[in-house]
Amino acid sequence: MRSYTIGQAARLLSVSPDTVRRWADAGRIPTRRDEAGKRLIEGPDLAAFSVRLAAEAHETDDEPRTSARNAFPGIITAVKLGDVAAQVEIQAGPHRLVSLLTREAVEELGLAVGMEAVARVKATNVHIDRA
């Protein structure tokens, strides 16, 4: 059975190692010590915890629901409007994403340079969520 260190679990859960330690100290996720005294989390325990954590986040967030999973929060760096179509560019950390959408969609969302936005990538499409 695979075991994970606190650091490995933190990377898989997208949180800091300190957060995983606090969860373990609070009894939210079981750990055991190896021969060297390092805390380990058993794979099935980590898998079950990650599912519970996602469910908790889903219950408490007020984010819009979407089926697109690859989200890139960033800032709008360019908006180019045509008669019918538009192009919106977002800088999300080191990633530059470009979305082609309708002018109407850009106007309805009120998208403008300097606004916070989330680019959601699904297959070859880039969707824009106003943050």
Side-chain angles (χ1 to χ4, degrees):
M1 177 181 340
R2 172 79 194 263
S3 297
Y4 295 88
T5 65
I6 295 291
Q8 290 169 325
R11 278 189 298 282
L12 290 170
L13 298 171
S14 297
V15 298
S16 73
D18 285 338
T19 297
V20 176
R21 282 187 201 94
R22 282 192 297 274
W23 287 335
D25 292 343
R28 291 190 67 193
I29 186 166
T31 61
R32 68 172 175 81
R33 300 254 179 202
D34 68 5
E35 314 78 48
K38 260 186 160 177
R39 278 204 245 189
L40 297 175
I41 302 168
E42 298 301 327
D45 292 333
L46 182 58
F49 180 75
S50 68
V51 170
R52 284 194 315 273
L53 191 63
E56 289 171 12
H58 185 71
E59 291 171 3
T60 60
D61 73 3
D62 56 359
E63 292 290 317
R65 305 288 183 241
T66 180
S67 64
R69 298 289 183 229
N70 301 318
F72 295 86
I75 188 165
I76 297 175
T77 58
V79 176
K80 298 172 187 161
L81 296 175
D83 291 335
V84 176
Q87 178 178 310
V88 177
E89 296 181 23
I90 292 179
Q91 191 67 42
H95 309 289
R96 176 179 165 262
L97 296 118
V98 179
S99 179
L100 302 175
L101 57 166
T102 64
R103 178 186 182 113
E104 180 182 17
V106 170
E107 291 171 346
E108 278 183 22
L109 290 170
L111 300 179
V113 171
M115 286 182 70
E116 204 175 334
V118 177
R120 295 191 187 275
V121 179
K122 187 167 184 181
T124 59
N125 298 314
V126 178
H127 305 263
I128 304 292
D129 297 335
R130 183 174 168 184

